[in-house]
Amino acid sequence: MADGAAFAMTTYGIPLLVLATTGSAALTGLAFALEWVPRLAAFTVAGTVVDRHGTGRVFRAACAVRALIVMTAAVVLTVVGTAAAVATAAVMVLAALSGFATEFSYVAAETAGGQASRTAGARAHRVQSVLLGIDQSAMLAGPLISGLLLQAGGPAAMLITLAAFSLLAAWLSPRQGAVPGGEVSREESASGLRTGWATLRSLPALAWLVGGLVVSNTAVGLLQAALPVIVVAELGRSSADAGLIWSAAAVASLLAITAARQAIDRWGLCPVGAASAAVAAAATLALSQAHSYRAYLLLVAVLMAGEGGLTVVLRTLRSHLIPPEVFGSTLAVTILLLLLPFPAAGLLVTAVPPAQLGHAVTAAALLQALGLTAAFARLRTLPALPA
């Protein structure tokens, strides 16, 4: 729960921090890209490191490193103020380094969740819905806390709180013995990625679902990158209002996750996934035509409800199909693919004038609808889906 709150504050709070510090829509988009590019780089080694050294050890180290990075940035901003050029450099470096550390803790937590799901057998989707519920509960608080702290206490207050959540997560993580082995070499990291990629290609059901979600994440990433600019700069609302949108979305996602658990029991993975995909695509198309804060608040909540159902389906399928001995490496590859659209979305927000962002969202929404339709049409013909 503590790591989930830190993850949410990192993902949604740091772009708000950059906008509050620099006042620049272009730099906000660039910071979003800088936050995600190192996350992608982390996956070249994270899965192999987790497979070799164990989930608990990697999780604690990643949380501690993130806390150190965030506290350093808080000290810099306190000393130099937000108007200095040094402050701009500090928040951009913060975006890059915090994203890198966050993905190691994420891969470790996901691997532990996969182990729990395999133990549960046919009830794996219930385990995944509980884990997602914990994540979404943290997501409920993270963006809103970030916005409120930025508005009331400034950047230092937000960063100190983020560091506190990271340290709490490291402290609460269960202890485990070290996994035999040593440092992971570049050759071993590459081998882990090759193993994960080969495993994913051998599982067509998982590969098609991941492919559809990669296209879908292009639209989701664009909205995540653009929303601080749209809400604060275009609609004239506060950073707390921007955070409230994602907190409301977390409530909707939490409800959808609970409903998905019951629906999968009754109708199975593929029908529930297809329905969730339809909800997400329709909401994104509607968002491209939205012009008010209330519309963004409602439609982002509907979009993330659809995404919540899709995530339950993805995690359940992943835990059923990926062999345990290569789970970390294959998980890293799937997450790497799913995150590729996010830095591209940040660069797009940097390049596109704020007034034209609506057209970019429309194009991304159409691609999302096509990608998800193709993925679930193919999944219906594959026999390998678990009941």
Side-chain angles (χ1 to χ4, degrees):
M1 184 73 171
D3 182 63
F7 182 96
M9 291 184 72
T10 302
T11 302
Y12 299 103
I14 287 181
L16 286 172
L17 171 65
V18 173
L19 185 61
T21 303
T22 67
S24 169
L27 286 178
T28 301
L30 180 59
F32 189 86
L34 287 175
E35 182 182 351
W36 284 100
V37 167
R39 292 187 179 199
L40 300 182
F43 285 113
T44 63
V45 294
T48 306
V49 169
V50 169
D51 282 343
R52 185 138 191 194
H53 294 283
T55 56
R57 186 177 177 183
V58 173
F59 181 85
R60 288 192 300 275
C63 290
V65 169
R66 181 175 57 204
L68 178 61
I69 293 166
V70 170
M71 283 303 300
T72 302
V75 171
V76 171
L77 292 178
T78 301
V79 171
V80 305
T82 58
V86 175
T88 299
V91 294
M92 302 300 275
V93 172
L94 169 67
L97 296 182
S98 62
F100 186 82
T102 293
E103 289 312 314
F104 275 87
S105 68
Y106 180 74
V107 170
E110 286 290 290
T111 302
Q115 293 167 353
S117 294
R118 287 191 296 274
T119 302
R123 299 173 67 84
H125 64 282
R126 290 184 170 271
V127 173
Q128 289 298 329
S129 67
V130 170
L131 294 174
L132 272 172
I134 294 172
D135 289 345
Q136 292 302 318
S137 297
M139 194 69 72
L140 171 64
L144 183 58
I145 289 173
S146 297
L148 289 173
L149 288 173
L150 272 175
Q151 187 174 345
M158 191 205 90
L159 292 174
I160 290 171
T161 304
L162 172 53
F165 276 125
S166 297
L167 290 174
L168 182 62
W171 181 58
L172 293 176
S173 173
R175 298 295 189 264
Q176 67 178 52
V179 178
E183 295 298 323
V184 179
S185 68
R186 182 177 301 178
E187 291 77 13
E188 289 171 315
S189 299
S191 176
L193 287 177
R194 286 195 298 269
T195 299
W197 177 248
T199 304
L200 180 62
R201 291 181 61 188
S202 70
L203 303 171
L206 183 60
W208 272 95
L209 181 57
V210 169
L213 291 177
V214 167
V215 179
S216 178
N217 280 357
T218 303
V220 176
L222 182 59
L223 285 169
Q224 284 188 14
L227 210 61
V229 177
I230 293 171
V231 173
V232 177
E234 296 295 307
L235 299 180
R237 307 292 292 221
S238 69
S239 57
D241 291 329
L244 179 61
I245 288 181
W246 293 113
S247 293
V251 174
S253 184
L254 189 59
L255 295 174
I257 289 165
T258 303
R261 180 180 61 193
Q262 304 297 329
I264 290 171
D265 281 338
R266 184 169 182 178
W267 291 296
L269 279 174
C270 196
V272 173
S276 299
V279 170
T284 310
L285 283 168
L287 271 166
S288 66
Q289 306 303 316
H291 300 289
S292 69
Y293 176 78
R294 182 175 298 179
Y296 277 102
L297 182 69
L298 175 64
L299 291 172
V300 170
V302 175
L303 166 63
M304 297 312 291
E307 287 290 313
L310 285 170
T311 305
V312 173
V313 173
L314 170 65
R315 289 189 176 194
T316 304
L317 198 61
R318 210 161 51 189
S319 65
H320 272 292
L321 298 182
I322 300 175
E325 62 274 10
V326 293
F327 190 90
S329 299
T330 310
L331 173 68
V333 169
T334 62
I335 299 175
L336 176 63
L337 293 172
L338 292 172
L339 295 186
L340 280 173
F342 287 89
L347 294 176
L348 185 60
V349 171
T350 301
V352 175
Q356 302 299 317
L357 285 175
H359 299 301
V361 173
T362 300
L366 292 173
L367 287 174
Q368 179 189 38
L370 290 173
L372 290 175
T373 298
F376 281 97
R378 185 70 180 93
L379 282 175
R380 290 186 63 184
T381 67
L382 295 173
L385 287 178

